[in-house]
Structure formats: structure tokens, C-alpha cells
Amino acid sequence: MAESKKYINRDLSWIEFNRRVLEEAEDASTPLLERFQFLSIVSSNLDEFMSVRVAGLKDQLKAGFHKTDFTGYTPHGLIKRIMKRTKQMVRQQYKTYRELMRALNKEGAVIVSWDDLNEEQAEAMTEYFQDIVYPVLTPMAVDISRPFPLVHSKELYLAVVLRPSVESEKSADQDYCAIVQVPSILPRTIRVPGRKNARKQTYLLLEDLIKQQIGQLFSGYVTEAVHAFRVTRNSDLSLNEEGAEDLLQEIEKELRRRRRGFPVRLEIEKGMHRHARELLTDELDITEDIFEIDGPLDLGFLSTFAGSLQNFDHLRYPKIEPKYPDEFEEADDILSVLRERDVLVYHPYESFEAVNDFISEAAADPDVLAIKMTLYRVSVNSVLVQALATAAESGKQVTVVVELKARFDEERNIAWARQLEKAGCHVVYGLVGLKTHAKITLVVRRESGALRRYVHVGTGNYNENTARHYTDAGLFTCHPDIGADASALFNEMTGYSTPHDWRAFAVAPAGLKPKLFVLIDREIACAKAGRPARIVAKMNSLSNQSMIDKLYEASQAGVSIDLIVRGVCCLRPGVEGLSENVRVVSIVDRFLEHARILAVTNGGEEEVYISSADWMTRNLSRRVELLCPVYDPGLRLMLLNLLQMNLQDNVKARELQPSGNYVRVSRANPPLRSQFAASDIPLWKTAAAALEP
């Protein structure tokens, strides 16, 4: 096999992942309003992919880089393949959109055009325009004295083609162009008053209302055409961290530069006027990567729209109320429980309130001396941030490692950092050249003349909003080895400590990949010795070449390998003589699969770990990441049960083929949907295995 054929290209694998998301929108067994949610996710996923991954490839072309990557693609060849596949996907996305709208209409809600409104409704919408919309609109003419304005990335605009009215002194034969931004501060869908005795909920798109009333912005001109367009710009930050005197100020400057990043994609409404199209392509210097859209641009609005519809709960998934962990429910405080035993929580089935309470109780406890925490992505109204501020104001030593470079959350994290500093917290912005992606909290408490460390390690962010929609595991413990390693890790991140001789943790960038190699090599040795040898790993992405090669080596040695990889997977499974012992499944369902879990058989003495890291080059070599062992046998069994449920899923699981395509897992057995099975907490949280490994 040619070397490059051993691997699947990362970006093409990502497109296949987004296609699986689109399949959920197409799936008639998925509740209708949930299908709209998936359709929205397809759009937001594609926005980020274009503004980061495709932008990076175009940067390579501009720099004259033409070498092939380890999957055999040059930047130019890969961009061509990406654009072809994404345009196919977008066409399918809008076909699905039209089908879903027809289905929603039958259910009693509809988005209409202006021509569908009766006289009373049109009058109400005109009044809404005058009172709410018109005051925030800014027409921007484009001519010799007024150059083409800055068009912000991923914002919706209208290109207006005008000609002077007969009364005008200007030439009536000349076309003029102007730009109007559709204000993102206003709702994209507007509720239209219903017809008399009508039960149907009717909505009008904001851009359609503005189009209809556009003449009010250009008195003395006749509107020739109005069409929507949208630009996606390069949004990847390019920081000179080594030369930056103040990292926070450097990121703020780079965020301002992001607004002027070069255009990567231009989306235009189908049938756009020739003059408007020529103006956009000339001014934006983009001629090839143009997406002509037959429908509303940016279907990301569908998430808010579907969520806002009232009296349609029968078209949604049944609500799952996160359960407060039983271990903490009856206890007076969380720390007293942890002195007796470790506790594992699994979100969103178990409430993130346990994490909030852990920090809040520590902040209020007079015997707690210090709290240390990493923050990567935090919710808007974070209870955790408020608790940390309270702890600092009460005199506790509070240290927070805030990752300012968390993509698209930079501005929010800068605001949190400043708020924490004002409260008296020691705020650290991580290590130069590295993102701090580990999710860990350390609480130091004085007890009987000595100090005890309490630790929370998670696979997901300290974000109570995403914890309702992502599957993630969190470990609470006061194990002395984990506590000692937690202290050492924070000392490395905040000071000049040399790398630690870790007792429990493996930490990237220096130690995580070597630790994984040690674990895999041990399974290889077990297989060669005829002992049980199996690896089960769950992650979001697998793209690091050396990790894939090590898994190929393990497969060839006879190690059984099961990988649960939600998104990108560059490993090609099931290839004879290379990876016939490797199985890869992806689960796309109601919740975003986000947990990183690793289980190794170790000849029968099973070990289980949770981690913040995917097996990607950036996680293993350019980030501070964490791999933490789960010592408690009962908790290990819980995680093994969860992994086994994922592997037995035959409803929402797809299996990766040697060709790089994904096919749905056969339903020969009774149906098992792992996310719905996991909602039955006793199923995986009992001491005895509910599912045989």
C-alpha cells in the first residue's frame, strides 16, 4: 500500500463528519424541530471550517507551499476537493431545508414571503419596520467618494442596485450600488400577526422585510435589485507570543485584525444582479469560492427559530432533567464525601451543579486556603467565575489559568480575566506558544494541622451551558497522588518549575504522547505473550500520524482496538495486513459526544483514564493537556459500561470503512441507542456490569 493511502485526509474526514450531522437532519425518525437544530449545526460547523481550515490552506498557497501532506494532498489539490464536496453538501442542505419547511407548515408554523401576507399583516410588518428596524439600518453607498465598506465576516448583508428616478438630475441610465447590513442585533425571524381565527404561527425573515422596504433608505432612486450576500474571512489568529510584551493586548490587536482577514468564501443569493455580483467579486478579490444559495443565507438562525416555537414540544426530544449525583445528594457538603470515596459524574445526565457547588462550597469554607483552576471556555453568566471572585475577596489564594487563545471565545475570556483580576485573583494567561486545554480544579484545605488536596478533573469545559448538550465525564477525588500532581501542574503553568516526575498524570506537550505509546506497547507485549490485549479509546478526533502508526503496529501484533471517534479520523480501519483488528465507530445523536476516555486491558488488570486531549498533533504537542487515571474499581466499571454502550449502539452509530466512507451499524441485534441508554443512570452506575464487556 502506498504510504499516503494508509491515511484519510483530515479535512475530507471532517466533511464526512458534517455530512453525518446533515444525515440527522434528513432522518425522518428524528423529531422535526431537532432536525432543524442539526441543519443549523451544519451551517455553523461549515462557517468555522471555512474560516480556519480552508483559510489555513489558502495561507499555505499564498506562501508558495506546494508540498504534499502525509495523506498525499497538496494545498491546491485539497482546496479543489474540499470546495467540490462542500458545494454538494450545501445543495443537499438546502434541499433538506425546503423539505423541513414543508413539514413544519403541515404542523402549524411557516416562514412566508412578503407576497404571502394579507393587507393587515403587511401593515403590521411595515409598522414593525418603521419602529424597530429602520432606526438601526445604515445604507452604505459605493462610489468614487465613498469606497467599498468593511464587510464583517459571517454577517448578513444586502447588495442594492439602484438607478436614479426620472426626476433626478443624474443619468437615469446609470446603475448605482449600495450595501446594507442586516442587523444581527435583531431577531432573524419576525412573528407575523395571524389571520383571523388562524392557528398557524407565521414568520417573516428580517432580510425579506428590509428588501420590501428598502426604497425608504434611498429616496430619489428606483430599486433595480436587492440580493443577500455573506462573506467568510480568515479568522485564525496569528500571534507573535515570543515578542509580545503583553499577551492580552496582543490578542486584542489580533482580534481587530481578524475583522479584516482575507475573504475565504462568498455566499450570494441565487439570481444576484450582475452589477452587484461584479462589485462584490472585484472588491473582495474572490472569483472561485462563490456559493450561490437557493434559499436564506446562513441557516444558523434555525437553531434559535426552532427553539422559540411555542406549543410544539411534541416535535422535540423529551426533556432530560440532569440528576444531581446521588453521592452528593444527602451529604452536608461535597468535600466530606470525597474524604470517603472518589465520585464520577457524567454530563448531561448528571447535573453540572455538582461542579458549581464544589467551587462554591470551597469558596465559602473558612478552612480552604487556596483554589486553583483552568478556564478554557466559560458560559456567559458563570457561577464558577463568581465563586472564584468571592473566594479571592474573602482572602483565599485564588489562581486562575485563563486561556485567552480559545478560538472565538477570546473576547469573552479577556473580559473574565479582567473581572477576576479586579476581585483579587491571580490570573495567568498560560504558557508561551501553548494553549492550556486541561480541565482541572485544585482545592487546598487545612485539616487537623495538615493540608489535604481535593481535585476535579474533567473531559469538558467548565461551562454550565455546554454541559447540558455535551457528553463529558468528571472525576472528583482527594487521592494523594492526583493531588500532588495537580499542585505540580499548576506550579509549572504559573511559575518556572521544571517538568515534574508525575505520579498519576501524563501531561502534554512533553509527556502525554510518550505515556500513550507506553500503554500501547504494553498491550502489544501482552498480545505477543498470548495474554488479553485490547484498547478502547473514545475521543473527538484522531489525526496525528505517529499515533495512527502506533495503532497500526498494535493491530498487526494482534491487539484488538475499538475506537469511538466522533469527528475526524485519519486512520483507515479494516485494511488487511495493516489495521484488520481496528474498528472505528462514530456516534452523532442528540448530544455532542465530547468525552475522552481510554481503557487498556493490561493482560487482565484493566486500566481506565479520562483526558482533555484528542489524539491530534495540536493536542499532543502544542497544548497543555491532561491524562488522569481512574483508580476506583467501581468508577472504572462505570466508564467501561459507557464505552461498551457506545460500541453496541446500532441506532445512531456509523462504522468507518476502509474506503473512508461511513455506514450505519447493522440492526441485527435488538436496537440499542447509547445516548438514550445512558440516561438510565443505574444502567451504567451500578457496581455490577449491566453490559458484558
Side-chain angles (χ1 to χ4, degrees):
M1 175 177 267
E3 187 68 18
S4 63
K5 298 297 182 184
K6 291 164 55 177
Y7 313 100
I8 299 168
N9 179 269
R10 169 183 168 172
D11 295 312
L12 299 183
S13 178
W14 181 91
I15 291 172
E16 289 305 309
F17 160 65
N18 212 34
R19 196 183 305 278
R20 296 194 293 280
V21 178
L22 179 56
E23 285 176 3
E24 290 302 302
E26 297 168 342
D27 190 344
S29 68
T30 301
L32 181 58
L33 293 185
E34 306 294 344
R35 295 170 70 184
F36 278 103
Q37 297 282 1
F38 282 112
L39 210 56
S40 171
I41 293 169
V42 171
S43 286
S44 56
N45 283 350
L46 195 55
D47 281 351
E48 183 169 346
F49 179 71
M50 286 286 171
S51 64
V52 178
R53 294 298 304 173
V54 175
L57 291 169
K58 292 195 171 188
D59 273 338
Q60 291 180 23
L61 285 180
K62 288 184 177 182
F65 186 86
H66 301 292
K67 291 183 179 180
T68 59
D69 63 15
F70 74 94
T71 64
Y73 283 92
T74 63
H76 177 71
L78 185 54
I79 287 175
K80 286 184 67 175
R81 182 68 63 90
I82 286 171
M83 288 302 173
K84 180 179 179 181
R85 291 195 185 183
T86 51
K87 286 182 179 180
Q88 290 172 345
M89 185 189 303
V90 169
R91 285 194 292 271
Q92 186 63 32
Q93 181 190 14
Y94 277 86
K95 178 183 176 184
T96 305
Y97 168 77
R98 290 186 287 272
E99 292 172 356
L100 296 188
M101 279 301 175
R102 287 193 291 270
L104 186 62
N105 191 359
K106 292 178 182 178
E107 293 287 346
V110 63
I111 295 178
V112 300
S113 67
W114 180 269
D115 293 338
D116 294 322
L117 303 180
N118 62 25
E119 185 177 341
E120 182 181 345
Q121 290 173 320
E123 186 177 327
M125 288 297 94
T126 300
E127 184 177 341
Y128 180 88
F129 177 83
Q130 294 287 353
D131 295 344
I132 306 297
V133 182
Y134 181 83
V136 297
L137 295 179
T138 303
M140 295 174 285
V142 181
D143 54 29
I144 296 175
S145 63
R146 288 166 291 197
F148 193 80
L150 173 64
V151 174
H152 295 286
S153 184
K154 295 181 278 194
E155 294 285 348
L156 189 61
Y157 289 83
L158 299 176
V160 188
V161 180
L162 306 157
R163 59 178 172 79
S165 60
V166 177
E167 293 80 9
S168 173
E169 296 179 0
K170 298 179 181 179
S171 171
D173 298 327
Q174 182 179 352
D175 284 335
Y176 296 85
C177 286
I179 304 295
V180 177
Q181 183 175 356
V182 177
S184 56
I185 198 170
L186 297 178
R188 181 83 180 272
T189 52
I190 309 161
R191 180 75 182 268
V192 180
R195 300 172 186 268
K196 204 168 187 180
N197 300 321
R199 296 182 179 179
K200 187 168 289 186
Q201 296 182 25
T202 304
Y203 295 84
L204 182 70
L205 288 173
L206 177 59
E207 62 266 32
D208 287 347
L209 174 60
I210 298 173
K211 284 181 185 180
Q212 183 63 31
Q213 305 289 336
I214 200 75
Q216 297 190 41
L217 298 173
F218 302 100
S219 58
Y221 290 82
V222 175
T223 304
E224 286 275 305
V226 189
H227 288 106
F229 73 93
R230 188 169 177 263
V231 177
T232 307
R233 296 184 179 274
N234 179 0
S235 297
D236 210 14
L237 296 184
S238 178
L239 292 171
N240 176 20
E241 292 186 55
E242 295 283 355
E245 294 183 10
D246 186 314
L247 182 59
L248 188 147
Q249 291 182 4
E250 183 69 19
I251 290 176
E252 287 181 319
K253 285 193 292 184
E254 195 62 33
L255 288 173
R256 289 191 289 272
R257 290 190 205 111
R258 179 186 275 174
R259 298 171 192 160
R260 298 182 178 274
F262 67 83
V264 177
R265 172 185 60 167
L266 173 62
E267 297 169 275
I268 61 173
E269 193 176 341
K270 186 177 181 180
M272 176 174 271
H273 192 283
R274 178 173 58 86
H275 288 175
R277 181 167 181 153
E278 289 175 355
L279 174 71
L280 294 175
T281 55
D282 289 347
E283 294 289 347
L284 297 170
D285 191 23
I286 188 167
T287 55
E288 292 184 350
D289 301 327
I290 301 172
F291 288 65
E292 193 167 353
I293 304 298
D294 185 12
L297 273 60
D298 182 18
L299 295 182
F301 78 91
L302 291 175
S303 177
T304 303
F305 170 67
S308 68
L309 291 175
Q310 298 178 354
N311 304 318
F312 285 93
D313 284 348
H314 62 289
L315 301 180
R316 299 184 174 96
Y317 285 126
K319 287 185 179 180
I320 292 180
E321 281 300 325
K323 189 177 187 303
Y324 199 81
D326 288 337
E327 296 88 340
F328 299 147
E329 186 72 64
E330 302 300 328
D332 293 333
D333 65 276
I334 288 176
L335 300 189
S336 65
V337 174
L338 300 183
R339 287 192 285 275
E340 301 295 325
R341 57 171 299 185
D342 292 354
V343 175
L344 182 83
V345 294
Y346 196 59
H347 312 299
Y349 312 103
E350 292 184 292
S351 174
F352 192 80
E353 288 301 311
V355 181
N356 288 340
D357 290 348
F358 175 64
I359 306 296
S360 298
E361 287 179 15
D365 189 336
D367 289 320
V368 167
L369 305 181
I371 303 174
K372 302 183 181 185
M373 189 174 190
T374 59
L375 293 180
Y376 190 75
R377 298 190 194 277
V378 190
S379 58
V380 176
N381 300 308
S382 175
V383 173
L384 296 175
V385 171
Q386 302 302 328
L388 291 170
T390 299
E393 288 165 352
S394 67
K396 291 177 171 57
Q397 182 89 6
V398 179
T399 303
V400 188
V401 181
V402 179
E403 181 47 72
L404 297 181
K405 302 184 292 294
R407 186 179 290 132
F408 303 122
D409 277 328
E410 298 95 345
E411 291 181 81
R412 181 181 298 168
N413 285 5
I414 287 171
W416 284 130
R418 287 184 167 143
Q419 180 176 329
L420 289 166
E421 284 178 332
K422 286 181 181 178
C425 300
H426 298 294
V427 178
V428 179
Y429 303 139
L431 302 171
V432 172
L434 301 173
K435 280 187 180 180
T436 302
H437 194 248
K439 292 69 164 92
I440 183 169
T441 301
L442 170 66
V443 172
V444 181
R445 188 173 188 267
R446 179 177 49 223
E447 296 176 8
S448 303
L451 297 181
R452 191 192 298 265
R453 300 180 181 97
Y454 299 84
V455 179
H456 173 269
V457 177
T459 66
N461 298 309
Y462 287 113
N463 186 316
E464 45 258 63
N465 293 334
T466 56
R468 297 189 188 101
H469 307 288
Y470 294 11
T471 67
D472 272 306
L475 175 68
F476 294 91
T477 181
C478 63
H479 193 287
D481 288 351
I482 292 176
D485 279 2
S487 288
L489 177 60
F490 278 103
N491 289 342
E492 280 197 20
M493 289 190 290
T494 62
Y496 288 111
S497 296
T498 56
H500 180 62
D501 184 14
W502 305 105
R503 302 183 194 178
F505 290 170
V507 179
L512 179 51
K513 190 178 359 177
K515 174 66 174 181
L516 294 172
F517 275 29
V518 166
L519 295 175
I520 296 171
D521 282 334
R522 194 176 62 188
E523 295 304 305
I524 292 172
C526 287
K528 289 179 177 179
R531 301 172 64 201
R534 187 187 185 203
I535 299 167
V536 182
K538 178 182 174 71
M539 65 197 76
N540 298 329
S541 300
L542 168 60
S543 63
N544 180 263
Q545 184 182 4
S546 60
M547 283 301 306
I548 294 170
D549 289 341
K550 178 58 71 172
L551 292 170
Y552 285 155
E553 180 187 345
S555 172
Q556 292 166 45
V559 179
S560 174
I561 303 171
D562 289 297
L563 303 176
I564 306 157
V565 186
R566 183 197 77 219
V568 169
C569 183
C570 298
L571 179 147
R572 200 180 290 276
V575 178
E576 187 177 352
L578 179 71
S579 58
E580 63 263 52
N581 291 317
V582 183
R583 179 182 182 231
V584 179
V585 298
S586 169
I587 296 171
V588 178
D589 201 349
R590 173 180 186 173
F591 302 119
L592 183 80
E593 292 287 340
H594 195 255
R596 290 93 166 188
I597 306 168
L598 170 65
V600 288
T601 299
N602 188 26
E605 298 178 10
E606 200 110 39
E607 292 181 3
V608 181
Y609 301 82
I610 63 172
S611 179
S612 60
D614 295 312
W615 292 2
M616 305 176 75
T617 300
R618 70 186 187 194
N619 299 92
L620 299 174
S621 61
R622 298 196 299 271
R623 290 185 173 187
V624 177
E625 300 275 14
L626 186 58
L627 180 78
C628 176
V630 178
Y631 290 125
D632 184 280
L635 303 189
R636 286 202 300 266
L637 185 57
M638 293 178 198
L639 291 171
L640 289 171
N641 284 340
L642 287 167
L643 291 175
Q644 193 62 22
M645 278 193 284
N646 283 173
L647 293 172
Q648 292 182 348
D649 192 309
N650 56 11
V651 178
K652 290 300 183 180
R654 282 95 164 168
E655 188 164 346
L656 177 58
Q657 305 300 297
S659 64
N661 296 324
Y662 285 79
V663 298
R664 286 189 181 271
V665 173
S666 169
R667 291 200 191 182
N669 297 316
L672 190 149
R673 190 170 178 178
S674 57
Q675 287 196 0
F676 280 49
S679 66
D680 182 8
I681 291 176
L683 185 64
W684 54 268
K685 214 164 186 181
T686 49
L691 294 168
E692 288 297 324

